[in-house]
Amino acid sequence: MSSWIVASSAVTFGRFATGPLHRLEEAGCSVRLNPFGRPLNGREMVEFAQDADALILGNDSLSAATIRRLHKLKIIARYGVGFDGVDLIEARANNIQVTYAPAANREETADFTFGLILDLARCITHMATSTRDGNWNKLVGTSLYGKTIGIIGVGQIGTAVARRAMGFGMDVLGYDIVQRTEPTIYGLIYTTLNDLLRRSDVVTLHVPLTSATRNMIGTKELKIMKPSAILINTARSNVIRQDALSKALEAGTISAFATDVFEREPPKHMPYFDFDNVLVTPHVAGSTKESGERMGNIVVDNILAAKSGVEPPDLVSAQTLYTTAFDAAAAASADSR
């Protein structure tokens, strides 16, 4: 096989789990790692990957204009689950295959989600910081046992969250257009979005970003929630209307908020970042050594398949796009009723 240039904009690829990187090198690929430690903008992406045959894409956006300037590119291998940042139509028009890594960090993201829930429910970070500063303030938190968790988006990650919630003795509500059977094994009961928001003590988001889910949590939805409720977002920043969120936190409409995702990364500072009842983390929910190895190997499998002229195993196919579009249309229809 001829040599390929592989450019990785994914910040963590090859940094902690080096096995996938070595696999590419052993297959005759020249691998270039992200030099910035953050997502690349369009100009940087063109400079970084203009001669690449394969691009390992992190949390960067890849517009049509950028794709058109990557003349040698044959495959975009998304180092993650979502592919909303890629202009798929332009990629297809340029005969560029797009792959992703479904369920690769499902368990890790579910773990992290519960870490955020526990932290906010028991004021862990706030008390740890206060104690380190020489104070001795014992804050009374909230028990999870017997409370209700509402999971918006009951796919791979949402199901893993439901499984953990069962272990905490929580009642589990779910909202999704596609009502899968597996989550019900863990006690999840499907309901409407408004009913979930009204009844839940914890609301956690696990939906992809589509036209139907963009800004799905706004002023109206936040007002439906309990004033004592905790809101968690490890999905996509734009699922929540940010101005409405800021006002809700300032007014005490909800009790606490944690997010691992931002519209721009690194994010611009928001006033609510300074609130004691808010946690912000740098998009690491799915990142561990184990998930990095797993996801990296999925990415490498896809690239080496394309290099060999074989269809990659995790191709974003027409069926994938149809299913995504169908779910978005169904959600929009449901919201309009």
Side-chain angles (χ1 to χ4, degrees):
M1 293 187 293
S2 59
S3 178
W4 266 27
I5 295 175
V6 179
S8 174
S9 69
V11 174
T12 58
F13 178 82
R15 303 289 186 188
F16 308 111
T18 58
L21 171 62
H22 295 327
R23 283 184 62 202
L24 286 173
E25 292 172 337
E26 289 166 2
C29 298
S30 174
V31 185
R32 184 181 303 151
L33 299 180
N34 185 323
F36 300 105
R38 58 164 173 78
L40 281 61
N41 61 37
R43 177 185 58 79
E44 292 168 339
M45 184 68 78
V46 171
E47 293 177 357
F48 178 66
Q50 61 184 340
D51 59 345
D53 299 278
L55 172 63
I56 300 174
L57 187 69
N59 296 315
D60 324 77
S61 292
L62 208 57
S63 68
T66 300
I67 290 172
R68 282 195 292 269
R69 298 180 66 185
L70 301 176
H71 303 296
K72 287 189 62 182
L73 202 59
K74 302 171 183 67
I75 180 172
I76 299 165
R78 174 76 174 87
Y79 187 74
V81 177
F83 44 85
D84 49 272
V86 182
D87 191 309
L88 298 170
I89 295 174
E90 189 64 32
R92 178 164 294 186
N94 286 271
N95 295 315
I96 300 170
Q97 294 177 309
V98 180
T99 64
Y100 68 131
N105 57 6
R106 170 188 60 202
E107 302 300 331
E108 289 76 12
T109 303
D111 284 346
F112 198 85
T113 296
F114 253 93
L116 295 174
I117 294 170
L118 283 166
D119 195 317
L120 288 177
R122 301 298 301 273
C123 310
I124 295 172
T125 292
H126 182 60
M127 286 192 290
T129 301
S130 177
T131 304
R132 189 179 294 115
D133 290 340
N135 302 308
W136 193 249
N137 299 324
K138 297 185 179 183
L139 301 180
V140 178
T142 301
S143 300
L144 294 183
Y145 179 80
K147 296 299 194 302
T148 298
I149 185 171
I151 302 171
I152 300 176
V154 195
Q156 295 277 358
I157 296 171
T159 299
V161 171
R163 188 167 67 248
R164 285 157 177 76
M166 181 180 68
F168 277 86
M170 303 183 78
D171 294 325
V172 187
L173 298 177
Y175 170 74
D176 205 317
I177 296 303
V178 179
Q179 297 190 358
R180 300 164 181 85
T181 302
E182 183 189 352
T184 64
I185 298 171
Y186 309 116
L188 182 141
I189 298 172
Y190 286 105
T191 186
T192 64
L193 177 59
N194 285 351
D195 185 59
L196 180 150
L197 293 171
R198 179 178 59 82
R199 295 167 57 189
S200 297
D201 300 290
V202 177
V203 174
T204 180
L205 298 164
H206 302 286
V207 292
L209 182 63
T210 68
S211 58
T213 62
R214 183 180 294 273
N215 294 326
M216 74 182 299
I217 303 298
T219 301
K220 178 176 74 71
E221 290 76 19
L222 290 164
K223 285 182 177 178
I224 294 172
M225 293 174 63
K226 297 178 180 181
S228 58
I230 293 171
L231 178 61
I232 307 290
N233 188 11
T234 58
R236 288 290 185 266
S237 173
N238 288 332
V239 172
I240 303 175
R241 191 178 290 278
Q242 295 298 301
D243 57 346
L245 173 65
S246 294
K247 291 176 182 176
L249 288 166
E250 289 173 3
T253 304
I254 60 174
S255 173
F257 172 66
T259 185
D260 185 54
V261 288
F262 307 92
E263 184 174 7
R264 297 176 60 184
E265 297 183 355
K268 64 178 183 180
H269 186 272
M270 300 286 286
Y272 65 73
F273 283 17
D274 299 323
F275 294 179
D276 290 336
N277 60 343
V278 171
L279 290 176
V280 290
T281 52
H283 205 150
V284 293
S287 300
T288 66
K289 292 179 181 179
E290 293 83 357
S291 68
E293 189 86 21
R294 191 183 311 121
M295 192 152 47
N297 280 322
I298 291 173
V299 164
V300 171
D301 289 344
N302 285 310
I303 290 173
L304 295 185
K307 187 173 185 288
S308 301
V310 177
E311 182 175 291
D314 300 292
L315 191 66
V316 178
S317 63
Q319 179 61 39
T320 309
L321 296 176
Y322 172 78
T323 302
T324 302
F326 176 81
D327 288 352
S333 176
D335 287 345
S336 68
R337 290 199 290 269

